[in-house]
Amino acid sequence: MESAGCAPLASSRRRADGLAAAWRTYEAFKAVGHEIVVATPGGVVPTVDRASFAPELNGGQENADRIAKALGAFTELRQPIALTDVKLEDYAAVFYPGGHGPMEDLAVDADSGRLLARVLEAGTPLGVVCHGPAALLAAVGADGGNVCAGYEVAAFTNAEEIQGGLAEKAQWLLEDRLTEAGVRVRAGEPWAPHVVVDRTLVTGQNPASAAPVAEELLKKLG
């Protein structure tokens, strides 16, 4: 166990529908001895959206069942700290999972936005997956511009929202909003693993990209 850990930041006060992807990252970091700390807005314990464990999102029913069962070992999830209590110098890396939760709260959460700005400024490795890049929208600099403008990222695409049947129900689409903020979205094939690395920012397009993002973060940690 190292003194510096990786902090996966649970996506939402109201639901945690990206936890299947968060588990894959948790598993990868635990396997090499990293300490995990979970942080949420207000330190609220997130509830799990069982839709996260749909077979089509997890490589089949067997793998979905394995992840759902293994989530019981994710004890840190039940003891989160508040985002405002995160001391960046205590952590080797930061990770934001996906699910639609970040689009509901982290996209407009000033505390999260300030943390992300500090993470990028400090050069701390930052991993973000699926809908997690919605949190980048709140990372605004002193000039009012997004601190991620000009960065290349992977994020859940418009094509995936359409194919998943949620595009018409969404108030806004992540790919569109990131592009409007000046972030350069690099889309891969729908549902296939796709990772983009730009400086210390490592992003993955969809749930299938969670494990590859974890691998890239571990490379940055050496």
Side-chain angles (χ1 to χ4, degrees):
M1 192 83 59
E2 298 183 359
S3 59
C6 170
L9 306 183
S11 61
S12 174
R13 297 183 184 91
R14 294 175 292 281
R15 59 180 184 172
D17 47 350
L19 288 180
W23 167 254
R24 296 187 184 96
T25 307
Y26 175 90
E27 196 173 40
F29 276 85
K30 275 289 193 178
V32 294
H34 284 283
E35 180 181 357
I36 308 295
V37 176
V38 173
T40 66
V44 176
V45 177
T47 55
V48 178
D49 185 339
R50 305 307 297 182
S52 290
F53 306 115
E56 60 271 22
L57 296 179
N58 294 283
Q61 187 63 56
E62 182 177 352
N63 200 42
D65 291 343
R66 181 186 69 83
I67 293 173
K69 183 178 180 179
L71 193 60
F74 197 163
T75 56
E76 295 88 346
L77 188 67
R78 298 189 288 275
Q79 299 174 327
I81 66 172
L83 285 170
T84 51
D85 291 335
V86 173
K87 296 180 180 179
L88 187 57
E89 62 272 18
D90 291 342
Y91 300 100
V94 173
F95 175 75
Y96 274 58
H100 283 86
M103 296 179 68
E104 296 181 13
D105 57 6
L106 294 184
V108 293
D109 190 290
D111 293 328
S112 175
R114 283 189 288 269
L115 175 61
L116 286 168
R118 287 165 46 213
V119 169
L120 292 171
E121 182 180 6
T124 302
L126 170 63
V128 194
V129 174
C130 195
H131 290 88
L136 302 177
L137 296 170
V140 178
D143 62 356
N146 192 288
V147 300
C148 298
Y151 275 81
E152 293 189 349
V153 306
F156 204 73
T157 63
N158 289 356
E160 287 166 319
E161 292 285 17
I162 293 169
Q163 292 177 18
L166 295 177
E168 293 184 358
K169 302 175 183 178
Q171 294 184 354
W172 49 273
L173 298 180
L174 179 57
E175 182 178 352
D176 290 344
R177 192 64 65 85
L178 287 170
T179 300
E180 292 169 3
V183 182
R184 301 165 66 186
V185 179
R186 295 293 179 252
E189 289 296 318
W191 312 110
H194 177 58
V195 175
V196 173
V197 180
D198 189 341
R199 288 157 275 185
T200 56
L201 177 61
V202 182
T203 50
Q205 181 170 309
N206 45 42
S209 306
V213 166
E215 291 174 8
E216 291 295 334
L217 280 176
L218 287 172
K219 288 179 185 177
K220 287 188 173 296
L221 295 178

